[in-house]
Amino acid sequence: MTLAEFLAALDALSADAPARIAAAADLDAWTDTRNTLVGRTSGRLTDIMANLGALPKEDRREAGQRANTVKVAIEEALETRRAELAASAASSGPALDLSMPPRERWRGAVHPVSLVIDEVVEIFRELGFTIALGPEAEHAWYNFGALNFPPDHPAMDLHDTLYVGDEQVLRTHTSPVQVRTMQQYPPPVRILAPGNVYRSDPFDPSHAPMFAQIEGLVIDEGVSFADLKATLSHFARRFFGPSTKTRFRPSYFPFTEPSAEMDVQCGVCAGAGCSVCKHSGWVEILGSGMVHPAVLEAAGLDSEKYTGWAFGMGPARTAISRHGIPDIRILYDSDVRFLDQFAR
Ligand code: DAH
């Protein structure tokens, strides 16, 4: 080989190299390109250099210097390309698996008891009722005395009631809101009082020491038991469905006279009898009655002029029979596996 042939081979290599280096689209292709151009065992530069010994002695020095210049230029171009490829690999992040299902977003949901409260409130709002609230730590007079409880009534026993002071109790029902409302607002009164109440009860499948109630109260001149029956039956049909049958059973509460409990025909078995209605065909929904004259007087109203009716219901009980929930404690556990069902 002559020096001219040797240099021509080097020129061909340096003319060709930039396009090949630029064509390497990823790091694997870059490695192949480097091996082809300047690889130690089989690269094109190595092949050319192998001819160095065959050149006339006086040409070898120049040939070697030219070969080295070409080598340095190619290695610089290779390094520049390698850095480019590494930077773009880093900025595109780890490999994307487009077949991976998206992570489900966490959805909150309204608690089944709050759902019942909201629906009840909405139905009575349509009938002109407004919301009234009272304290959960309540004076015993509002909780018992003003509501005509006789002094020895068992509801006041320590084992039923959570006392937080001599005369302070955690209210055992929402009925004290009746008295506070009548003291504050002149008739006509139409209010709903949702809220939590407390009893010294064990936490078992059908009892909780804290639970929600919804109280209702209507006071005006000439209000009768017919208003009570018509309004509560209308509510039952709006809440449980238009063909819902209701029945009123005589009952006793110190703060109403007469008193009645309202049952609705069991929605699970349509009255045939099942475990939800304890095979009676009916589910008890609320207690109610005509406001006792002694309660009106305790609140400062003239019981000769005004009459009224009231009711109290437990939305947890309603939620339980609506969803067929076997254990009331599930409602208070905050177990997301249970609550998540209501988000769908
Ligand atoms: N306060 C009663 C209870 O806790 C429920 C109740 C019954 C409320 C009859 C009323 C009513 O307003 O008229 O069991």
Side-chain angles (χ1 to χ4, degrees):
M1 184 180 265
T2 65
L3 178 61
E5 286 168 339
F6 186 92
L7 296 180
L10 279 180
D11 286 345
L13 175 58
S14 34
D16 191 25
R20 284 179 166 264
I21 292 168
D26 57 33
L27 289 169
D28 285 344
W30 177 90
T31 303
D32 291 343
T33 305
R34 186 195 58 191
N35 290 341
T36 307
L37 296 175
V38 294
R40 265 180 237 285
T41 49
S42 60
R44 281 170 60 187
L45 185 65
T46 305
D47 291 348
I48 296 170
M49 294 285 275
N51 296 309
L52 206 57
L55 290 177
K57 228 179 180 150
E58 64 277 16
D59 292 336
R60 285 184 198 159
R61 184 184 161 85
E62 188 189 346
Q65 280 173 351
R66 292 283 296 276
N68 201 48
T69 306
V70 169
K71 183 181 179 209
V72 167
I74 291 176
E75 281 176 347
E76 272 176 11
L78 278 167
E79 178 50 29
T80 303
R81 183 66 185 147
R82 195 199 58 75
E84 279 171 16
L85 291 172
S88 77
S91 70
S92 69
L96 256 189
D97 177 2
L98 294 176
S99 68
M100 195 169 86
R103 206 171 292 166
E104 220 184 323
R105 279 227 274 146
W106 174 258
R107 281 167 306 171
V110 180
H111 190 278
V113 172
S114 302
L115 223 47
V116 171
I117 294 172
D118 290 350
E119 285 181 40
V120 172
V121 165
E122 187 50 38
I123 292 168
F124 279 94
R125 199 201 304 277
E126 291 171 6
L127 299 174
F129 285 65
T130 53
I131 301 295
L133 300 174
E136 293 183 14
E138 180 60 282
H139 196 284
W141 183 79
Y142 281 103
N143 196 81
F144 297 121
L147 290 167
N148 197 38
F149 278 72
D152 56 349
H153 194 281
M156 291 185 287
D157 281 1
L158 279 167
H159 64 260
D160 288 328
T161 303
L162 295 161
Y163 284 82
V164 291
D166 277 353
E167 297 290 317
Q168 285 277 114
V169 298
L170 295 184
R171 65 180 181 191
T172 60
H173 53 177
T174 44
S175 300
V177 184
Q178 291 188 27
V179 182
R180 289 182 173 275
T181 304
M182 286 186 276
Q183 283 181 329
Q184 215 176 337
Y185 302 103
V189 164
R190 273 192 225 93
I191 57 111
L192 224 52
N196 290 331
V197 304
Y198 302 83
R199 292 190 194 168
S200 183
D201 273 337
F203 216 176
D204 69 26
S206 53
H207 293 89
M210 184 219 72
F211 55 97
Q213 279 193 340
I214 305 174
E215 191 82 13
L217 175 70
V218 172
I219 303 286
D220 204 350
E221 292 179 48
V223 172
S224 73
F225 198 86
D227 298 314
L228 179 159
K229 281 188 79 172
T231 308
L232 293 179
S233 295
H234 168 81
F235 157 72
R237 287 191 295 270
R238 286 279 281 107
F239 189 87
F240 295 102
S243 59
T244 301
K245 287 199 173 64
T246 53
R247 78 176 182 190
F248 290 82
R249 283 180 293 109
S251 185
Y252 170 78
F253 301 101
F255 37 88
T256 47
E257 179 60 33
S259 304
E261 258 153 292
M262 183 175 84
D263 299 340
V264 299
Q265 204 167 54
C266 180
V268 175
C269 62
C274 68
S275 63
V276 169
C277 61
K278 299 195 189 84
H279 304 285
S280 71
W282 297 90
V283 180
E284 186 191 315
I285 293 302
L286 51 82
S288 64
M290 299 304 293
V291 178
H292 197 291
V295 176
L296 294 169
E297 297 291 339
L301 292 181
D302 180 353
S303 62
E304 294 296 330
K305 186 173 180 197
Y306 295 112
T307 51
W309 58 271
F311 72 91
M313 65 176 286
R317 287 269 149 78
T318 310
I320 275 175
S321 59
R322 179 190 248 188
H323 299 292
I325 295 167
D327 187 326
I328 202 167
R329 289 173 293 189
I330 297 174
L331 292 172
Y332 304 97
D333 277 349
S334 299
D335 185 330
V336 292
R337 291 168 302 178
F338 168 73
L339 296 172
D340 190 46
Q341 303 171 73
F342 300 95
R344 289 167 207 288

